Amino acid sequence: MAFEVMEDPVAAEGRRADQLKKDERFTVVIGNPPYEREQRAVGDTGKRKGGVVRYGAAGISPLLEDVIRPMSDAGLGKHAPNLHNLYVYFWRWAVWQATELPPGPSIVAFITASSYLEGFAMGGVRSLLRYAFDELLIVDLGGEGRGALIEENVFDIQTPVAIAFGLRKGISSSSCTVRHLCISGSRQEKFERLSTLTLDEVATDVPGNGLERLIPHDDQADYWSWPTVTDLFPWSHSGAKFHRTWPIGETLSLLRRRWCELVTAVPRERGALLFEKERTATSTPRPLLRGGQKLRPIRHLDRDDRPESIERYGYRSFDRQWAIADKRVADRPRPVLWRVRRGGQLFLTTLTSTKLGRGPALTVTPYVPDIDHFSGRGAKNVMPIYRDPIARETNVPGGLLETLDQTVGEQLIVEDLVAYVHGLLGTGAFTERFTDELAEIVQPVHIPFTGSPDLFNRAVELGRELLWYHTWGERFGPDDATTLPPGTVRKVSPVVGYPDTFRHRPDDQILEVGTGRFGPVSEDVWNFEVSGLKVLSSWLGYRMAQRKGKKAGPLSEIRPRSWVFTDELLCLISILQHTIDMTPTAAQLLDEIVSGPLLLATDLPQPTDAERKPPKV
């Protein structure tokens, strides 16, 4: 009996698709591309993703160049790495297929992450879409899980999404009409609205061209006329990035043990222990903390060799840990931050390219901050208050303090400015009052500057008290005090052994940490957040036997031998409770400031390009 061999249907479909792509022009491209930052996997030495978009092909230049070029022309080329996102690759590929091979009428319809609508680093995508299409219709579905206005997403994700329809009517496009519609509500409400939606309802015109935003924006509101935090502190920098977790730990002794394990291992094993990425066991970088000759590679270290330093580290808002300050174990430690960390330095952190959520709009740390310090998400959002290690050169525009002197009638120092800003932004009062503005577009936060000397001084006084607490009593203390007042929370029972679980009991306001019991801990303290980062549960999660977060090599498995964090936990709870207690005062003061005479951004000196650049140290 003869059997007919059937052709593999998947292979046959692949051949037909290849033939179609070779001989025919696509007129419609639709889909839901993946959206994730394209990064090399650990141990992956192969070619990174992107295909023809990133690398081009025979006779075809890399397609992404058309996205990067307008950003480079605008002086924004340094943000190009943020374009390496899979959904950006798909957008560029779809535009190429539908409008360039050859040019002609076409439609592209995608539902993707909505960051390209206004994200600072996505201007090149907006420029591409405006160039490619005659009409661009945006149905903004929101769904922000961490920003100022949290709402349900149409997918089980925290990233807001949008549907875009790009229409090309002829051979080429001379101009692009952009229209926008925002659909809000629950997931079910969004689905019901979409089921009856017609494109005629996408009717709000969005003016602009090139890199400008693809969402409407009311720039006439008072809020937008106030100076931004980056107008006041013009040099902003990304925080430190180790690319491995083991050089960061909860105690000094823990990091000493991990370092000892590294340098006592046989040389051939040290690469795996280091968890090699950009930095390897044979790397010979310059010192992180000072000038000088290149450091000996980790592979050649003796068992008694020590790291450059182990220092306190601003890991997350209200979470100070320790870090091995040595360039051999950190891929991108941001040396300039380590070299200006002395002399009363204070680092302000916020979100400048992502929408803020609930809680403080600004946090602080007296230690070099991690790239994700503010809320577990990072960017160029660290602002030191000094540009040098001896606190002589302030990170404020020339003439700003003198201008404010005339307003408040007394001579100000940079600490007064920092205290004023933190008095307004350092609690949840600001994000509560300006929820709509913060949710509208991505921008550094705008700050109302009072023209009243009395209100200014009250804000400074409030800010100084907050800063004392938020720096663990190390800065801004009254009469040089370095110890914070004890809070009302007490240890009910001790932590025995090393805990692996914790929970909050709202009925009796008890915090359980393993066998330990602490109270009273209010629900407000338990739920205290910084733009989605639940501070107390995050702090505890990093101190469990099984530390939360990704593991990065064998050294990460070395954990503290005993629980030594009771005093620090009680201090943290006291800090959070005090911040909550001061929030009504901050809200009342903010109301009075906004209702009174205010300085506009145009009333203050503007930063120069040189003042926005990092100092040379």
Side-chain angles (χ1 to χ4, degrees):
M1 181 176 179
F3 292 92
E4 183 179 351
V5 178
M6 295 183 62
E7 183 180 18
D8 182 351
V10 176
E13 182 69 20
R15 284 194 297 272
R16 287 193 292 270
D18 289 340
Q19 192 68 30
L20 179 65
K21 286 186 282 187
K22 177 182 177 183
D23 298 334
E24 302 293 339
R25 188 178 80 82
F26 285 81
T27 57
V28 178
V29 181
I30 62 175
N32 172 211
Y35 22 104
E36 62 178 278
R37 183 77 178 273
E38 200 281 296
Q39 300 184 56
R40 189 186 300 276
V42 176
D44 180 10
T45 58
K47 195 172 186 178
R48 299 178 74 170
K49 298 175 183 178
V52 66
V53 174
R54 185 167 186 171
Y55 301 106
I60 304 173
S61 298
L63 301 179
L64 200 63
E65 289 181 357
D66 292 332
V67 181
I68 296 173
R69 188 178 303 110
M71 296 178 63
S72 298
D73 292 344
L76 302 173
K78 62 186 177 181
H79 298 287
N82 295 292
L83 295 169
H84 293 300
N85 192 302
L86 296 187
Y87 90 84
V88 174
Y89 296 165
F90 273 83
W91 260 121
R92 181 63 189 102
W93 178 87
V95 168
W96 177 56
Q97 288 287 331
T99 71
E100 300 173 29
L101 291 178
S106 58
I107 298 174
V108 177
F110 275 169
I111 178 169
T112 71
S114 62
S115 56
Y116 70 96
L117 299 181
E118 58 174 330
F120 190 72
M122 293 290 173
V125 178
R126 297 190 288 272
S127 178
L128 170 75
L129 299 181
R130 282 190 167 108
Y131 175 79
F133 299 114
D134 298 298
E135 291 186 56
L136 189 61
L137 310 179
I138 308 293
V139 181
D140 194 341
L141 298 174
E144 173 63 71
R146 294 165 294 200
L149 285 178
I150 294 176
E151 64 171 350
E152 195 172 6
N153 202 302
V154 294
F155 301 124
D156 292 325
I157 58 175
Q158 292 186 305
T159 302
V161 298
I163 304 171
F165 302 87
L167 288 71
R168 168 76 75 85
K169 299 177 180 179
I171 300 299
S172 62
S173 174
S174 58
S175 63
C176 181
T177 299
V178 180
R179 298 200 300 273
H180 181 275
L181 174 68
C182 182
I183 296 179
S184 57
S186 68
R187 176 183 298 182
Q188 184 61 36
E189 289 170 336
K190 291 176 182 179
F191 284 150
E192 291 174 357
R193 181 76 174 87
L194 287 171
S195 68
T196 62
L197 180 70
T198 66
L199 292 184
D200 290 338
E201 297 176 73
V202 186
T204 302
D205 287 329
V206 181
N209 53 67
L211 309 181
E212 294 182 59
R213 296 181 180 88
L214 295 176
I215 60 173
H217 165 49
D218 178 15
D219 58 5
Q220 300 303 309
D222 291 343
Y223 176 87
W224 307 107
S225 67
W226 304 335
T228 67
V229 68
T230 51
D231 289 334
L232 305 178
F233 306 101
W235 167 41
S236 60
H237 209 88
S238 296
K241 189 172 185 178
F242 279 73
H243 272 158
R244 49 188 62 81
T245 56
W246 71 262
I248 302 166
E250 305 90 290
T251 67
L252 176 63
S253 61
L254 172 65
L255 295 188
R256 286 173 174 166
R257 287 170 55 208
R258 290 175 176 173
W259 177 267
C260 182
E261 187 76 11
L262 177 68
V263 297
T264 56
V266 296
R268 67 176 179 274
E269 295 177 353
R270 294 180 187 177
L273 291 173
L274 172 63
F275 197 68
E276 293 177 310
K277 285 194 171 185
E278 296 176 29
R279 197 75 67 212
T280 70
T282 58
S283 297
T284 57
R286 299 284 182 185
L288 174 62
L289 305 181
R290 62 189 185 283
Q293 297 181 347
K294 291 183 177 181
L295 298 167
R296 292 175 64 205
I298 285 175
R299 184 180 288 268
H300 297 160
L301 292 179
D302 297 326
R303 61 187 305 118
D304 294 329
D305 284 332
R306 297 181 179 181
E308 289 188 67
S309 183
I310 301 179
E311 300 190 6
R312 279 286 195 183
Y313 186 62
Y315 189 58
R316 296 289 183 268
S317 290
F318 303 97
D319 185 352
R320 56 180 182 175
Q321 298 197 24
W322 294 83
I324 298 177
D326 190 303
K327 208 171 182 181
R328 290 167 293 195
V329 302
D331 287 357
R332 300 180 185 179
R334 322 299 182 191
V336 67
L337 297 182
W338 291 93
R339 296 182 186 180
V340 300
R341 71 197 186 286
R342 304 293 191 192
Q345 181 67 272
L346 191 67
F347 299 94
L348 317 179
T349 66
T350 181
L351 295 178
T352 57
S353 57
T354 306
K355 290 179 180 177
L356 286 158
R358 298 187 182 96
L362 182 83
T363 61
V364 301
T365 174
Y367 323 110
V368 171
D370 189 83
I371 189 171
D372 296 326
H373 174 268
F374 182 74
S375 64
R377 295 175 286 164
K380 191 178 179 182
N381 55 15
V382 172
M383 293 162 289
I385 67 171
Y386 291 107
R387 293 174 59 91
D388 64 354
I390 55 175
R392 288 185 179 177
E393 185 180 0
T394 61
N395 182 27
V396 299
L400 174 63
L401 293 177
E402 290 77 8
T403 300
L404 295 176
D405 288 348
Q406 299 172 14
T407 300
V408 301
E410 58 183 272
Q411 188 172 359
L412 301 178
I413 57 176
V414 69
E415 285 81 4
D416 296 323
L417 175 63
V418 172
Y420 177 87
V421 170
H422 200 62
L424 301 189
L425 306 186
T427 72
F430 191 92
T431 55
E432 178 69 23
R433 180 183 178 93
F434 295 106
T435 295
D436 292 340
E437 290 83 355
L438 294 173
E440 185 175 346
I441 62 172
V442 173
Q443 271 197 7
V445 62
H446 290 250
I447 299 170
F449 246 101
T450 180
S452 163
D454 176 62
L455 290 176
F456 185 90
N457 288 327
R458 284 169 56 192
V460 169
E461 183 179 358
L462 175 67
R464 283 185 171 274
E465 183 171 353
L466 283 170
L467 286 165
W468 183 36
Y469 273 78
H470 293 176
T471 59
W472 305 88
E474 293 188 14
R475 302 278 196 278
F476 293 88
D479 300 324
D480 298 324
T482 57
T483 302
L484 293 174
T488 59
V489 177
R490 296 291 181 267
K491 178 178 68 176
V492 179
S493 61
V495 177
V496 178
Y498 203 91
D500 202 21
T501 60
F502 61 88
R503 72 182 181 111
H504 181 251
R505 300 183 340 210
D507 292 343
D508 56 3
Q509 295 193 333
I510 290 295
L511 176 66
E512 295 182 356
V513 181
T515 62
R517 304 291 184 270
F518 304 89
V521 178
S522 69
E523 283 194 78
D524 287 338
V525 167
W526 176 250
N527 292 319
F528 188 95
E529 69 172 271
V530 178
S531 286
L533 176 76
K534 294 299 182 68
V535 171
L536 185 52
S537 59
S538 172
W539 188 94
L540 287 166
Y542 287 122
R543 288 160 178 80
M544 294 294 100
Q546 293 296 320
R547 183 184 187 272
K548 81 168 190 173
K550 296 179 181 179
K551 301 295 188 294
L555 295 180
S556 295
E557 301 296 335
I558 301 175
R559 302 292 295 131
R561 292 191 172 107
S562 60
W563 173 266
V564 293
F565 307 111
T566 291
D567 289 344
E568 185 96 343
L569 173 60
L570 294 175
C571 184
L572 170 64
I573 294 172
S574 174
I575 290 170
L576 298 182
Q577 186 62 61
H578 191 72
T579 304
I580 292 165
D581 293 342
M582 296 183 72
T583 301
T585 301
Q588 175 63 35
L589 181 58
L590 189 59
D591 286 343
E592 293 182 49
I593 288 174
V594 172
S595 300
L598 294 171
L599 300 178
L600 305 181
T602 52
D603 296 327
L604 302 175
Q606 295 301 299
T608 65
D609 290 342
E611 288 171 333
R612 294 196 183 278
K613 293 179 179 178
K616 296 179 179 180
V617 293

